[in-house]
Amino acid sequence: MKMIKTLLASAVACTALAAPVVNAAPIEIKFAHVVAENTPKGKMAIRFEKLVEERLPGKVDVKVYPNSQLFGDNKVLEAMLLGDVQLAAPSLSKFQKYTKQLQVFDLPFLFEDMEAVERFQQSEVGQGLLKSVERKGLMGIGYIHNGMKQLSAYDPLKAPADAKGKKFRIQTSDILAAQFEQVGGIPLKKPFSEVFTLLQTKAVDGTENPWSNIYSKKFHEVQPYITESNHGLLDYMVVTSKEFWMGLPDDIRPVVEKSLKEAIAYGNEVAAEKTKADRQAIIDSGRSKVIAMTDAERQQWVEAMKPVWKQFEDEIGKDLIDAALAANQK
Ligand code: SIN
C-alpha cells in the first residue's frame, strides 16, 4: 500500500512538472513620478506603458502613477531600492544623496540652450554619468528633457537685488540652495507636491521651474510675475534598480529597454513642443506677467550666481564642468 501511494505521489509530481505553465502572473512595473500626465515626463511614461504592453501582452503589466500618487520626490529612490517601485524619472537635482556628479546639471547659466544639453547628455561623458548611481544600486537608463527653468515670484524679479530676503522653494539640491543664497534669497527645500499650496498661501515668495511644470501645475495662477531667465536646467534621469533590471528575464529586458528608449525620444519631442506652447498659454492666460530680460540684465544674474561653480568645483570635478561647458560649442 505504501509503495502504491509513493508511486501515485511521484506520478502526480511528474505531471505537475511536465504541465505547461499557464496564467503565469505578468511582471509588474510600477512607474512613479510627481508631475502631471500632460507633461514631457507624464506623456513619456504613458507611451512606455503602451509600447511595452503591445509588445509583451500578458507578460508585463506597467502601472503609471503620476502626480506623486505613489511616492513623492524624496522617497521614490529609497522605495526603488526596497523593490516597491521599478521605474522613476526624478529631476537630476534630486540625486545628490546618490552621486555628486549629477550636480553638474544644476550649475546656473552653464548650458546656453537645450541643444547644448542634448550634446552633453549624449556625449561619452554624459552617458558615463548614467552609471554614476550604480554604486548605490540604481541604474540610469537615459535622460529625458523638460527644459530651462524660469524664475517666478509675487514681485517682479528684474535684477538680482530683487531676490534679496525672498523665500524660494527649491528642489533638494545644495547647488540650488547656494544659487539663491548668492542673490540674498532664502531657499527652502520642499517636495514638488507642496509647491502650489506654498505659493498660494504665500509661505514662499517664489520658485523656479520650466514652462510645462508652471503651466500644468497652475503656478502661474498664483505667481503674478515670471522672469524668462532660462538660468538653469530641469531634466530627468530615467532610473531603475540594478536588482530589478538584472532580474528581468533575458527575453523581456531588451524589449523593455527598447520601449523605454523610444518613449524617451517621444518625451523629448513633447518637451520641445511644450516649452513653446505652455509659455504661450501662460502669456495668453493673462494670469502672470512674463518679464523678458535684456542681455545686460541677464549678465547681472550670471555674475551674481556664477560663484556657485567654484564653490562646488571640488565636489563635481572641474573636468566634468569643463566637459559640460564644451557642449556649448556646436
Ligand atoms: C519634476 O519636474 O519632476 C519636479 C520638479 C520640481 O520638483 O520642481
Side-chain angles (χ1 to χ4, degrees):
M1 188 63 188
K2 196 172 166 205
M3 200 167 123
I4 294 174
K5 271 193 186 160
T6 315
L7 283 174
L8 272 175
S10 22
V12 169
C14 287
T15 316
L17 280 176
V21 181
V22 280
N23 296 334
I27 297 167
E28 192 179 57
I29 301 184
K30 292 186 194 148
F31 189 154
H33 66 81
V34 299
V35 292
E37 287 181 307
N38 190 24
T39 55
K41 181 163 58 180
K43 288 188 157 237
M44 173 259 162
I46 294 169
R47 177 62 64 97
F48 167 70
E49 177 180 18
K50 181 171 173 291
L51 288 175
V52 170
E53 292 184 356
E54 269 168 21
R55 289 167 181 173
L56 295 166
K59 292 189 176 172
V60 173
D61 178 17
V62 177
K63 289 200 171 73
V64 179
Y65 297 88
N67 294 311
S68 311
Q69 271 167 19
L70 190 60
F71 293 107
D73 313 296
N74 302 329
K75 288 276 170 276
V76 74
L77 296 177
E78 285 165 29
M80 185 169 277
L81 291 172
L82 293 172
D84 293 336
V85 58
Q86 289 69 42
L87 277 175
S91 151
L92 293 165
S93 312
K94 292 175 184 166
F95 284 91
Q96 78 175 32
K97 253 174 72 182
Y98 300 86
T99 170
K100 298 290 176 206
Q101 290 183 306
L102 287 175
Q103 294 185 118
V104 68
F105 289 105
D106 272 349
L107 294 175
F109 297 105
L110 179 67
F111 297 106
E112 277 168 18
D113 49 33
M114 291 307 290
E115 285 71 39
V117 172
E118 175 69 12
R119 277 193 291 277
F120 178 59
Q121 290 177 350
Q122 298 312 321
S123 70
E124 212 181 313
V125 177
Q127 290 295 298
L129 288 179
L130 294 173
K131 298 192 170 60
S132 64
V133 288
E134 286 193 4
R135 281 182 314 120
K136 301 281 185 172
L138 298 171
M139 279 187 58
I141 313 265
Y143 298 101
I144 163 161
H145 299 313
N146 187 327
M148 291 291 180
K149 290 178 291 187
Q150 319 302 333
L151 288 166
S152 67
Y154 273 98
D155 300 308
L157 299 173
K158 286 283 272 179
D162 298 332
K164 200 165 179 332
K166 295 206 160 52
K167 292 193 194 114
F168 290 92
R169 176 272 170 176
I170 58 161
Q171 305 174 72
T172 45
S173 152
D174 291 346
I175 296 200
L176 299 182
Q179 165 195 281
F180 280 108
E181 280 160 4
Q182 277 299 125
V183 292
I186 303 157
L188 295 168
K189 291 178 182 164
K190 295 283 179 189
F192 189 61
S193 54
E194 291 176 23
V195 180
F196 182 84
T197 308
L198 288 167
L199 297 171
Q200 191 185 35
T201 57
K202 301 198 178 177
V204 298
D205 300 284
T207 189
E208 52 168 16
N209 244 291
W211 294 112
S212 78
N213 281 358
I214 298 175
Y215 186 62
S216 59
K217 289 292 178 188
K218 302 186 189 315
F219 298 158
H220 62 295
E221 296 186 3
V222 286
Q223 291 274 264
Y225 297 96
I226 302 175
T227 305
E228 191 162 18
S229 50
N230 292 313
H231 63 283
L233 175 72
L234 199 159
D235 266 14
Y236 308 109
M237 187 163 93
V238 178
V239 69
T240 185
S241 89
K242 230 159 130 180
E243 194 181 336
F244 167 73
W245 194 251
M246 298 323 291
L248 282 174
D250 287 345
D251 57 333
I252 300 280
R253 194 184 313 108
V255 185
V256 173
E257 185 170 9
K258 180 173 168 355
S259 306
L260 267 176
K261 298 235 151 116
E262 287 176 25
I264 287 173
Y266 166 69
N268 286 343
E269 283 168 25
V270 174
E273 284 159 22
K274 288 215 143 278
T275 293
K276 290 196 191 112
D278 290 353
R279 173 186 176 277
Q280 195 54 48
I282 289 170
I283 294 171
D284 294 346
S285 76
R287 301 292 293 265
S288 190
K289 182 170 164 38
V290 174
I291 304 169
M293 276 204 241
T294 65
D295 287 350
E297 282 164 349
R298 188 176 157 84
Q299 195 50 35
Q300 286 181 38
W301 288 89
V302 174
E303 279 162 25
M305 289 181 164
K306 210 167 155 187
V308 170
W309 293 23
K310 198 83 204 145
Q311 207 179 323
F312 286 86
E313 189 179 278
D314 289 346
E315 262 184 38
I316 298 171
K318 183 160 177 357
D319 289 358
L320 197 47
I321 299 175
D322 288 344
L325 260 181
N328 286 323
Q329 312 299 322
K330 291 203 177 72

